[in-house]
Amino acid sequence: MDAEASEKIQEMGILPLLPNLLAPQSSCTPKVANIIAEVAKNEFMRSPCVEAGLVPPLVQLLHSKDQEVLLQTGRALGNICYDSHEGRSAVDQAGGAQIVAGHIKSLSQNTDLDNGKLLTVFCGMLMNYSNDNDSLQAQLINMGVIPTLVKLLGFHSHNTALTEMCLIAFGNLAELESSKEQFASTNIAEELVRLFQKQTEHEKKEMIFEVLAPLAENDVIKLQLVEAGLVECLLDVVAHTVDGEREEDVAQLKTASDLMVLLLLGDESMQKLFEGGKGSVFQRVLSWVPSHNHQLQLAGALAIANFARNDGNCIHMVESGIVQKLLELLDRHVEEGNVTVQHAALSALRNLAIPVVNKAKMLSAGVSDTVLKFLPSEMPPVQFKLLGTLRMLIDTQADAADQLGTNAKLVERLVEWCEAKDHAGVMGESNRLLSALIRHSKSKDVVKTVIQGAGVKHLVTMATSEHMIMQNEALVALGLIASLDLAGGEKDFVGAGLVQVLHKLLSDERSAPEIKYNSMIIICAVLGSEPLQKEVQDLAFIDVVSKLRSHENKTVSHQASLTEQRLTAQS
C-alpha cells in the first residue's frame, strides 16, 4: 500500500476502528491483518498503529490455528516492529515474541516442508523485533530460539528465503557474548559449513561469512568449525579469488583469509591444523607468504605468528626454513612498504625467536640485519615489533648484543624512542632493549656507545618504572655501567639523579628484594667516584642500609652488611 493511501486511512480515522475487526472467529480477520501489514510498511504509520491499540489484539490472534490468520498477523507485527522503538515495546509488553518463538519451536519439530512460508514470516518478525536491540536479543536467547533456528537451517536448507532469515538472525544474535555458549551446544558449525559448500553466489557466501566471523571468536566453536571442514572451504575460496580482479573476489579473499587467521587464534584449533608441522593446511598457508597478493602475504605472516605460540611449533618452523620466507617478504616491503605486512612479519619473527635454540639460528640467517632496515620507520606498531624482535633475539646471545650494542645508529634511534611520550609501548620496549644490550653483552664498548648516545638518563628513569621487571632490568644495566666505565658514566649519573633514585628505592618498603639488592650493588660501585660518593654521604645512606641488615631475604641482608662496611670504610 503506498504512502498516499496509508495517509488517507489515517486521516479518515480508520485505524482505531480496526481492533474490533480483529476478532479471532471473524472471516474478515486475515484481510484486516493484511491491511495493517501493508499500512505498517510505511515508516510514518508504525507509531499510529501502536497508538490505535492494534498490537494487543494482533498478539491475541497468534493463538489462532488458522494458517492464513497466523501468516497475516506475523506480517503485521513484523512490519510494526521494523525500525520502530514503539512497535517493539508494544509487542514486548503484549508478550508477542514468546508466542511466536513457541510457534517456531513446534513447527521445527515437524518436518513438513509446507510450513516454510509461515516459518519465514515468523523468523522475520523476531528479527525485526530484536534487531539492534541488545536486551530484546538477550530475551530471545533466553527463550532458547538459537537451537530451534539451527534445527530449521538443517531441515529447510533448500528454502532460500527461510535460510536467509535464519542467517540474518544468527548474525544479529552472534554479536552477543551470551549467545556463544548456546551456539556451541548446537551443530551450527556443521550446518553453516554444509550450507557454505552449496553456495555459488558471492552474496550468499558473504551472508554466511557474516555469521561465521563473530561465532569464530569463541574457542569451542573455532574447533567445531575446523572439525566441520571450514578450513578446506576457506582455502578453496582463496585459491579461486587470489587472481581475481573483481571487487567481490577481493572482498572474499580478505574475508576468507582473515577468518583463517581467526581460527588459528584458538590453541586447540591451531594445534589441530599444525599437525606437527606436516599438516596440509599449515603447508598451504605457508605458501601465502611468497604470494604477490598483499592480503595473502599479511594473512600468511599472521598465521605463522599464531602457529608460533609454543616452543615446539617454533622450533619446528625455524628448522623448516620459514625464517627465510619471512625475511624475503620483509625485503619486499622496505621501500614504500605495506605497514600491516611489516607489522605481521615482524610479529612472526618475534614469536619464533622466543625458544633459546632458535636465537642463534635466526641470527646467523641474518634476521637482525633485515629488521634493522626498518629503523627509519615512523610507524609506532612497526617500531614496537622491531624492538621486541631484537630484544628476543639477543636474550642470552652475548655476541649479537655486542654487535648491536656498538651500532651507534641503533642506539641513537633507541634513545630517540625512549622519549616517545605518545607511545608508551614503544617507549617501554626501547628502554628494555637499551638495557638488554648492556646486560647480555656485559661489554665495555656497548656501555661506551650507550653513554655517548646519551642513553644513561633513560635507564635511570626506567629504574623508577611501575613495572618491577623493568626496574630490575634498568638497575642491572646501571650496575654494569658503574662497574665497566664509572668515569664515563659519572657525569650522566649525577645529571640524572641516580643516587637520589637509589635512596628512594632502598627506603621504599614496597621495593622487591631484587630491587633492593641491585640498588646496593650500584651504591658500592659508585663509591669509586668522588662526586657520587659525596652524594651518597650527604643522603645518609648508612641509616637506610643498616635497617636492611635484618631483612627477611638472606641475599638482601647479606648485601646490606657488605654495603654498610663499604660505607663505613669510606666515611
Side-chain angles (χ1 to χ4, degrees), residues 33-243:
N34 178 30
I35 291 171
I36 297 171
E38 292 300 319
V39 165
K41 282 182 177 172
N42 299 288
E43 193 181 344
F44 67 90
M45 291 299 287
R46 289 172 203 149
S47 288
C49 283
V50 174
E51 286 154 16
L54 295 179
V55 172
L58 283 170
V59 168
Q60 283 314 304
L61 287 176
L62 289 171
H63 294 295
S64 168
K65 296 278 178 281
D66 182 318
Q67 284 269 342
E68 186 58 24
V69 169
L70 289 174
L71 198 68
Q72 297 305 339
T73 305
R75 285 186 60 229
L77 288 169
N79 290 351
I80 288 173
C81 284
Y82 187 80
D83 262 354
S84 160
H85 176 65
E86 294 83 7
R88 290 171 186 173
S89 281
V91 173
D92 183 18
Q93 278 158 5
Q98 284 82 344
I99 305 170
V100 171
H103 275 302
I104 296 176
K105 194 166 191 167
S106 56
L107 287 167
S108 73
Q109 313 293 350
N110 173 354
T111 51
D112 182 358
L113 299 180
D114 298 339
N115 294 325
K117 193 162 186 202
L118 186 54
L119 278 167
T120 306
V121 166
F122 278 162
C123 289
M125 183 246 150
L126 287 186
M127 212 175 62
N128 287 353
Y129 171 71
S130 66
N131 192 23
D132 279 342
N133 184 315
D134 284 0
S135 64
L136 294 181
Q137 285 177 357
Q139 185 191 74
L140 293 184
I141 293 168
N142 293 336
M143 287 178 206
V145 301
I146 289 176
T148 306
L149 293 176
V150 175
K151 210 163 165 186
L152 286 183
L153 196 61
F155 286 146
H156 297 270
S157 55
H158 58 280
N159 180 333
T160 322
L162 182 54
T163 303
E164 284 190 13
M165 282 297 175
C166 286
L167 287 173
I168 296 171
F170 291 150
N172 289 343
L173 296 172
E175 298 292 338
L176 258 70
E177 255 328 290
S178 57
S179 72
K180 305 276 171 57
E181 264 176 56
Q182 275 202 29
F183 275 118
S185 66
T186 68
N187 63 338
I188 183 88
E190 288 166 44
E191 295 296 356
L192 289 175
V193 171
R194 195 177 307 142
L195 195 61
F196 192 86
Q197 286 161 340
K198 292 203 312 215
Q199 302 309 324
T200 47
E201 291 170 48
H202 167 67
E203 274 74 26
K204 295 280 172 6
K205 285 183 180 171
E206 276 299 312
M207 278 184 89
I208 301 172
F209 272 145
E210 278 171 24
V211 182
L212 288 168
L215 286 180
E217 284 169 13
N218 176 286
D219 281 0
V220 179
I221 302 176
K222 279 189 182 77
L223 192 58
Q224 292 172 350
L225 288 168
V226 168
E227 285 169 347
L230 176 61
V231 172
E232 289 69 21
C233 299
L234 297 177
L235 291 170
D236 279 350
V237 171
V238 168
H240 284 115
T241 55
V242 64
D243 297 317

Side-chain angles (χ1 to χ4, degrees), residues 512-523:
E514 48 269 57
I515 301 290
K516 295 202 149 100
Y517 172 81
N518 284 318
S519 297
M520 289 189 280
I521 295 281
I522 301 175
I523 289 299

Side-chain angles (χ1 to χ4, degrees), residues 203-441:
E203 274 74 26
K204 295 280 172 6
K205 285 183 180 171
E206 276 299 312
M207 278 184 89
I208 301 172
F209 272 145
E210 278 171 24
V211 182
L212 288 168
L215 286 180
E217 284 169 13
N218 176 286
D219 281 0
V220 179
I221 302 176
K222 279 189 182 77
L223 192 58
Q224 292 172 350
L225 288 168
V226 168
E227 285 169 347
L230 176 61
V231 172
E232 289 69 21
C233 299
L234 297 177
L235 291 170
D236 279 350
V237 171
V238 168
H240 284 115
T241 55
V242 64
D243 297 317
E245 299 290 325
R246 293 175 312 176
E247 221 168 277
E248 63 189 58
D249 288 334
V250 177
Q252 269 193 50
L253 178 74
K254 177 167 171 36
T255 311
S257 52
D258 282 349
L259 193 49
M260 185 75 207
V261 172
L262 182 58
L263 291 177
L264 293 174
L265 276 174
D267 286 336
E268 283 184 78
S269 47
M270 177 273 287
Q271 214 48 47
K272 190 175 173 67
L273 294 171
F274 189 67
E275 287 180 67
K278 300 187 176 42
S280 62
V281 174
F282 172 64
Q283 299 301 334
R284 294 265 298 269
V285 170
L286 281 195
S287 71
W288 293 356
V289 176
S291 150
H292 56 84
N293 181 301
H294 280 188
Q295 172 59 34
L296 270 199
Q297 294 169 1
L298 171 65
L302 288 172
I304 292 174
N306 284 343
F307 278 124
R309 284 213 309 279
N310 62 51
D311 283 8
N313 291 7
C314 288
I315 292 165
H316 179 89
M317 287 198 279
V318 168
E319 280 170 359
S320 68
I322 279 179
V323 170
Q324 214 37 58
K325 286 185 171 165
L326 289 167
L327 294 182
E328 283 161 16
L329 176 62
L330 278 170
D331 273 329
R332 288 158 70 182
H333 285 277
V334 176
E335 301 296 324
E336 302 298 311
N338 178 310
V339 173
T340 43
V341 175
Q342 293 172 1
H343 181 258
L346 289 168
S347 295
L349 288 172
R350 181 195 176 280
N351 288 2
L352 290 169
I354 292 172
V356 175
V357 289
N358 282 356
K359 298 180 196 293
K361 290 180 183 168
M362 289 176 71
L363 285 163
S364 58
V367 172
S368 57
D369 300 337
T370 302
V371 170
L372 287 172
K373 292 177 185 171
F374 294 90
L375 264 188
S377 170
E378 291 303 333
M379 293 300 186
V382 173
Q383 297 167 352
F384 181 73
K385 285 296 175 190
L386 169 152
L387 292 162
T389 306
L390 291 177
R391 189 164 64 78
M392 282 304 157
L393 279 173
I394 64 164
D395 195 7
T396 69
Q397 307 296 307
D399 291 348
D402 199 338
Q403 200 187 344
L404 288 170
T406 49
N407 176 335
K409 260 210 168 69
L410 169 63
V411 171
E412 189 184 314
R413 192 75 165 129
L414 291 183
V415 169
E416 225 176 281
W417 286 337
C418 283
E419 289 163 5
K421 298 272 186 291
D422 301 341
H423 301 286
V426 172
M427 198 161 110
E429 276 294 334
S430 31
N431 274 303
R432 292 188 75 180
L433 181 54
L434 203 55
S435 146
L437 292 169
I438 295 172
R439 287 183 298 115
H440 296 299
S441 69

Side-chain angles (χ1 to χ4, degrees), residues 506 509 541-551 560 564:
L506 286 172
E509 310 229 313
F541 262 85
I542 206 143
D543 303 346
V544 187
V545 172
S546 59
K547 279 191 197 136
L548 292 174
R549 276 193 2 226
S550 55
H551 196 278
E564 190 181 35

Side-chain angles (χ1 to χ4, degrees), residues 480-518:
L480 285 163
I481 296 173
S483 62
L484 292 169
D485 192 0
L486 183 57
E490 177 183 82
K491 190 159 151 273
D492 291 332
F493 282 161
V494 173
L498 171 67
V499 173
Q500 290 73 7
V501 167
L502 295 173
H503 189 272
K504 206 163 156 197
L505 291 175
L506 286 172
S507 317
D508 188 345
E509 310 229 313
R510 294 164 307 181
S511 296
E514 48 269 57
I515 301 290
K516 295 202 149 100
Y517 172 81
N518 284 318

